[in-house]
Amino acid sequence: MTPGRIGLRPASYPGSSNPVMYARREMASPTRALADLPDADLVECARTGDRRAFGELLGRHERRVYRLAARMCRNERDAEEIVQEAMLRAFRQLDSFRGESSFATWLHRIVVNLALMRRRSDQRHPTEPLDAALPEFDSNGMLVRMDADYGRAARADELLDRKDLNAAMQAAMAMLPATLHEVFVLRDLEDLSTDETAEALGLSSDVVRQRLHRARLALRAALSLRLGGS
Amino acid sequence: MKMRGTCRETIELLDRYVDGTLTREERAHLDAHFEDCPPCGAFLASYRATPKLAREATEFEMPDEVRARLRRFLDEEK
């Protein structure tokens, strides 16, 4: 691809002191030139039907999107289908991308929405509340079993090898009700803000905070039990 | 010495303590409780560690064969 053919020129000429040098290098190595373009320019190229530009976008984002889908779905088999559907939608709906958010954010939303649709039609995940996993207090509001080693879960990475620890945490996450799990994934694993998580899930910020807290408490308790503490 | 605040109050506010959204007064109140109550201090440490451990447990790597299938799928469907 040459920028001139599709009417685009980068605002700067990465790795070159002037546009002539940039163009020469680009003609010698078109793949390298695509790699230099920001996402917004690649989207413009892909809109005109440039498949290599979309391929570059795919290469940049597929790993992150796959991880997000696997986290949301709690398994990698469903994640593969979500990623395929998400990337196809992204390609077909590029004209609806207005650039108000980054391409990464737009793609992230597509994946989250697909994962939520799948989760809502899937009854495999637990829906029961997790009261048994929440801390217990005596009549004075003090933790029951004050002598318990509450710190074991904080030292989980010292007490278990990485493989066992990951398996224990994945098992704990599998037990979370979907309503808590999706908040935990977006807020704590994907680092969305409380407001962004609320918007993605159609919830109020207060509900996001409450569910996040319950999810953290439940996971902490599950991991602690796995380690033989409280 | 009388313990400052209860464990219940403290744990109800842990999320806001960790996320840094408590007022200075609320934060000082919880800090005082942690000083008096080692189990709550340990509970806080494990509560804080949980997201990090979960993140590390779910660093799913996209397998090469999945990448290849994705490209074949898009080539056929686009």
Side-chain angles (χ1 to χ4, degrees):
Chain A
M1 180 209 64
T2 58
R5 185 165 65 80
I6 56 169
L8 273 178
R9 286 207 177 277
S12 60
Y13 302 93
S16 298
S17 57
N18 63 61
V20 174
M21 289 299 291
Y22 178 81
R24 281 182 184 159
R25 193 193 65 199
E26 185 184 11
M27 291 177 72
S29 178
T31 305
R32 173 66 192 274
L34 272 180
D36 288 341
L37 291 177
D39 281 1
D41 288 355
L42 289 172
V43 169
E44 289 305 318
C45 296
R47 275 179 174 152
T48 68
D50 187 329
R51 286 177 170 242
R52 288 189 309 113
F54 189 78
E56 175 66 22
L57 284 169
L58 182 66
R60 283 184 195 179
H61 296 282
E62 61 190 344
R63 289 175 182 79
R64 193 180 61 90
V65 160
Y66 179 81
R67 192 185 59 199
L68 167 65
R71 283 173 167 169
M72 290 291 287
C73 299
R74 311 188 218 200
N75 75 77
E76 296 189 69
R77 180 178 47 77
D78 288 351
E80 180 174 355
E81 291 179 18
I82 295 278
V83 172
Q84 288 184 350
E85 181 63 24
M87 289 302 191
L88 185 60
R89 281 194 188 198
F91 182 76
R92 288 179 173 168
Q93 296 175 7
L94 273 178
D95 284 340
S96 70
F97 174 65
R98 303 278 172 233
E100 290 158 359
S101 61
S102 68
F103 178 77
T105 299
W106 183 69
L107 192 55
H108 195 279
R109 280 195 200 122
I110 293 175
V111 174
V112 169
N113 288 337
L114 286 170
L116 291 176
M117 279 195 290
R118 176 167 295 227
R119 194 268 288 170
R120 282 161 190 163
S121 63
D122 182 354
Q123 302 304 313
R124 281 177 301 173
H125 298 312
T127 55
E128 293 301 310
L130 281 172
D131 291 343
L134 301 180
E136 289 181 51
F137 304 98
D138 65 20
S139 57
N140 296 318
M142 297 300 164
L143 274 171
V144 173
R145 297 179 62 193
M146 295 289 281
D147 58 341
D149 183 0
Y150 284 99
R152 287 180 73 82
R155 294 184 288 113
D157 48 358
E158 298 165 21
L159 300 170
L160 288 177
D161 71 34
R162 175 58 53 189
K163 195 174 166 190
D164 287 345
L165 177 57
N166 288 350
M169 185 49 92
Q170 287 177 20
M173 291 180 70
M175 298 305 294
L176 275 184
T179 51
L180 303 191
H181 180 265
E182 62 200 24
V183 168
F184 181 76
V185 168
L186 293 184
R187 183 71 182 77
D188 269 355
L189 305 189
E190 294 293 323
D191 284 331
L192 266 60
S193 69
T194 299
D195 289 346
E196 288 167 341
T197 303
E199 186 186 343
L201 299 175
L203 301 171
S204 70
S205 295
D206 280 346
V207 170
V208 167
R209 285 191 200 96
Q210 289 160 13
R211 290 184 181 178
L212 179 65
H213 187 43
R214 286 174 60 84
R216 288 172 177 168
L217 289 175
L219 290 174
R220 191 215 70 82
L223 192 58
S224 199
L225 284 173
R226 168 72 178 78
L227 294 166
S230 292
Chain B
M1 183 184 71
K2 187 179 184 311
M3 191 177 293
R4 289 166 286 185
T6 68
C7 303
R8 183 193 294 275
E9 292 165 353
T10 302
I11 288 173
E12 279 173 0
L13 292 173
L14 271 192
D15 58 327
R16 294 179 57 205
Y17 183 86
V18 167
D19 295 341
T21 56
L22 289 177
T23 64
R24 188 180 300 178
E25 190 181 338
E26 288 169 328
R27 188 170 187 85
H29 189 74
L30 261 64
D31 283 336
H33 182 82
F34 291 132
E35 270 182 37
D36 296 343
C37 181
C40 272
F43 196 101
L44 168 66
S46 59
Y47 183 92
R48 252 194 187 129
T50 297
K52 175 178 170 285
L53 295 172
R55 223 172 2 251
E56 289 169 357
T58 56
E59 288 289 344
F60 298 106
E61 289 291 335
M62 188 175 196
D64 288 342
E65 61 268 27
V66 172
R67 295 181 69 227
R69 281 199 294 270
L70 173 61
R71 277 157 178 73
R72 279 201 300 276
F73 171 81
L74 292 173
D75 282 342
E76 289 165 10
E77 296 290 328
K78 278 195 300 195

